[in-house]
């Protein structure tokens, strides 16, 4: 993807607190409901925006991304929200911009595949669009938030033990864990739609995660939204 190619941008988040800040900024919003997902369509500045709350987990995320692509044909999809931090340099409220996504719960290793391999497309790491990722990272820094770029690991699991955290971090060299990005990435990959993942850290995915998450999720979600709004201004 090149500069100024994004005319229609799809934005997906799992939860209301992660997408409301975008929906509120959409001018002349119209809501189209398909397969139970409310797609809010309108403009922010010169860009056409479609914003949707997909719900939690890989199945809802995939359903939303595929429906968005078929119904609205976005030039690019961004997944915004919160995540558990796996890189020791990250602090709560910092932002991770994905270079690529993996699915940490994809495992056919007992029949000879490497852990994380997605059969059919036969890759483990799904690359994010380089232009989108670079501009997202620039946007994070431009709004004064600390940014790290790295692998985002997705699975249908809230990661909240040091053991699981270490497993995901070490197996996939992942910087953050969440529950939707890898599914959105896979759908975008097979449809050849450029995508980016931006996640602010709400917890460390460790033994304190269950306590930290409710305390910091809303503030973290706000940081990710702030950066996405800046991205929209500059793309
Ligand atoms: N989203 C935010 N924190 C998370 C965690 N620890 N595990 C999975 N998804 C998350």
């Amino acid at each position: 993807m090149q500069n100024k190619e994004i005319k229609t941008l799809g934005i997906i988040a799992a939860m209301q607190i992660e997408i409301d800040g975008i929906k509120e900024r959409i001018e002349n919003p119209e809501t189209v409901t398909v397969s139970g997902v409310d797609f809010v369509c309108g403009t922010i500045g010169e860009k056409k925006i479609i914003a949707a709350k997909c719900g939690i987990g890989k199945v809802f995320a995939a359903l939303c991304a595929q429906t968005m692509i078929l119904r609205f044909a976005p030039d690019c999809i961004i997944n915004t929200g919160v995540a558990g931090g796996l890189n020791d340099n990250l602090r709560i409220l910092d932002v991770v911009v994905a270079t690529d996504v993996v699915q940490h719960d994809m495992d056919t290793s007992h029949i000879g595949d490497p852990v994380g391999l997605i059969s059919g497309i036969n890759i483990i790491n799904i690359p994010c669009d380089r232009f989108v990722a670079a501009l997202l990272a620039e946007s994070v820094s431009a709004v004064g938030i600390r940014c790290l770029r790295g692998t985002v690991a997705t699975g249908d699991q809230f990661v909240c033990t040091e053991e699981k955290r270490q497993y995901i971090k070490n197996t996939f060299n992942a910087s953050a864990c969440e529950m939707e990005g890898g599914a959105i990435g896979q759908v975008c990959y097979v449809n050849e739609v450029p995508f980016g993942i931006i996640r602010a850290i709400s917890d460390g995915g460790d033994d304190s995660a269950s306590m930290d998450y409710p305390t910091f999720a809303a503030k973290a979600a706000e940081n990710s939204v702030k950066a996405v709004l800046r991205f929209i201004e500059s793309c």
Side-chain angles (χ1 to χ4, degrees):
M1 167 148 269
Q2 301 285 312
N3 207 2
K4 302 294 169 201
E5 271 182 3
I6 303 175
K7 295 189 169 62
T8 304
L9 176 65
I11 305 171
I12 300 175
M15 301 181 297
Q16 211 163 333
I17 55 162
E18 296 171 312
I19 197 77
D20 272 357
I22 305 285
K23 286 184 177 173
E24 283 160 13
R25 295 288 297 272
I26 295 180
E27 296 138 32
N28 304 310
E30 274 182 41
T31 301
V32 179
T33 305
V34 188
S35 300
V37 181
D38 292 336
F39 294 92
V40 179
C41 313
T43 54
I44 298 181
E46 309 209 316
K47 301 290 174 194
K48 280 192 189 163
I49 306 289
I50 307 126
K53 183 199 84 167
C54 65
I56 293 170
K58 294 197 301 178
V59 174
F60 274 138
L63 180 159
C64 180
Q66 185 64 62
T67 305
M68 182 181 271
I69 290 167
L70 291 176
R71 180 69 176 73
F72 303 99
D75 300 308
C76 164
I77 291 181
I78 302 286
N79 172 219
T80 176
V82 301
L86 302 179
N87 185 302
D88 295 333
N89 293 322
L90 282 168
R91 300 183 211 140
I92 283 176
L93 304 184
D94 288 350
V95 166
V96 172
V97 171
T99 48
D100 56 283
V101 280
V102 298
Q103 294 171 34
H104 66 75
D105 56 356
M106 180 61 93
D107 186 357
T108 50
S109 60
H110 288 280
I111 51 171
D113 293 331
V115 172
L117 186 86
I118 304 166
S119 299
I121 55 175
N122 294 327
I123 51 173
I124 299 171
N125 300 71
I126 302 176
C128 297
D129 183 83
R130 283 166 63 174
F131 166 75
V132 171
L135 193 54
L136 277 172
E138 260 180 61
S139 306
V140 177
S141 303
V143 294
I145 299 167
R146 267 166 46 102
C147 180
L148 185 113
R149 296 181 64 176
T151 300
V152 168
T154 300
D156 281 325
Q157 191 176 100
F158 184 80
V159 178
C160 55
T161 64
E162 187 57 35
E163 190 188 353
K164 191 75 191 187
R165 175 182 196 272
Q166 290 298 334
Y167 165 77
I168 297 170
K169 175 174 137 88
N170 297 332
T171 307
F172 300 101
N173 189 26
S175 296
C177 59
E178 40 83 302
M179 301 178 68
E180 296 81 23
I184 293 167
Q186 185 175 343
V187 168
C188 287
Y189 181 85
V190 300
N191 286 278
E192 298 182 1
V193 174
F195 75 97
I197 311 285
I198 174 168
R199 295 278 182 159
I201 301 306
S202 56
D203 58 85
D206 53 8
D207 297 327
S208 314
S210 315
M211 299 262 282
D212 289 338
Y213 176 85
T215 312
F216 298 109
K219 185 80 188 124
E222 225 174 85
N223 274 1
S224 194
V225 162
K226 218 185 273 181
V228 172
L229 289 170
R230 178 63 181 239
F231 173 90
I232 295 168
E233 274 173 29
S234 18
C235 72

